[in-house]
Amino acid sequence: DAGVIQSPRHEVTEMGQEVTLRCKPISGHNSLFWYRQTMMRGLELLIYFNNNVPIDDSGMPEDRFSAKMPNASFSTLKIQPSEPRDSAVYFCASTAREGTGELFFGEGSRLTVL
Amino acid sequence: QKEVEQDPGPLSVPEGAIVSLNCTYSNSAFQYFMWYRQYSRKGPELLMYTYSSGNKEDGRFTAQVDKSSKYISLFIRDSQPSDSATYLCASCMDSNYQLIWGAGTKLIIKP
């Protein structure tokens, strides 16, 4: 069974450009999370969806960040305009067992903004 | 003070040694305690989780939670070079989606 699939794996872009990260959760999982990981701040929750509905977006840094989940098998995280401080690894995770801490992570999208 | 504290290491031990990884937490409402393993340039992978206090064993791995002292431990027996990774502890309250993460401990097993 395929795990969580993220694309692109690596993205290098220039400041001011739009970045779109994509995620396909595990089939049957109804909860989806976007995390950001940096050396300085560790893993930070950006946004949480349940049954395709955004439940908690309090971790989204600012209006430059937006996320959508148009259906149960696809989600996007968009940064517009991108800034060098957005450089990080962005992870998508899904679970069918919300509230237990059992998350399945993708391999991440490594973003570098020059 | 962070809600979950973890020494970032690195912790370097010889192959075959018993490894002890630890975290402390401050929120007494936490009920789920998880250990995730993260290899370089990969996503975190759930290794073990424990509900409330007690021990849980899975092969060479033992997870231990002491709620009285708010202490979380992961023991690895007969450590292997393939165990070299960053180990992240995390906690959450019952039926709550918000995981609180430790900083991660980088473990190096020397052949």
Side-chain angles (χ1 to χ4, degrees), chain B residues 70-87:
Chain B
K70 297 189 177 69
Y71 206 75
I72 313 164
S73 301
L74 178 71
F75 300 97
I76 307 174
R77 290 182 298 281
D78 187 24
S79 56
Q80 305 293 312
S82 59
D83 295 327
S84 298
T86 296
Y87 290 79

Side-chain angles (χ1 to χ4, degrees), chain A:
Chain A
D1 195 11
V4 174
I5 299 171
Q6 291 187 245
S7 64
R9 290 294 315 278
H10 303 275
E11 175 94 5
V12 180
T13 191
E14 292 189 347
M15 184 173 64
Q17 296 299 304
E18 178 179 295
V19 174
T20 299
L21 308 178
R22 297 172 177 79
C23 174
K24 177 178 168 56
I26 293 173
S27 177
H29 285 191
N30 62 340
S31 295
L32 183 139
F33 304 79
W34 281 100
Y35 280 90
R36 177 171 67 179
Q37 187 176 42
T38 60
M39 289 291 292
M40 290 296 294
R41 301 173 68 92
L43 272 167
E44 301 174 279
L45 177 64
L46 299 177
I47 188 166
Y48 158 57
F49 290 89
N50 184 258
N51 291 323
N52 314 337
V53 176
I55 303 299
D56 181 0
D57 65 356
S58 60
M60 296 285 263
E62 47 199 272
D63 291 347
R64 298 184 298 105
F65 284 69
S66 62
K68 292 183 179 179
M69 191 164 186
N71 58 62
S73 59
F74 185 66
S75 177
T76 58
L77 178 68
K78 187 176 292 188
I79 309 172
Q80 165 66 16
S82 57
E83 296 183 3
R85 60 191 166 124
D86 302 330
S87 297
V89 183
Y90 291 81
F91 287 105
C92 176
S94 70
T95 186
R97 300 184 65 215
E98 176 194 317
T100 65
E102 183 182 59
L103 299 182
F104 295 83
F105 283 81
E107 300 217 314
S109 294
R110 183 174 295 270
L111 173 65
T112 303
V113 183
L114 302 174

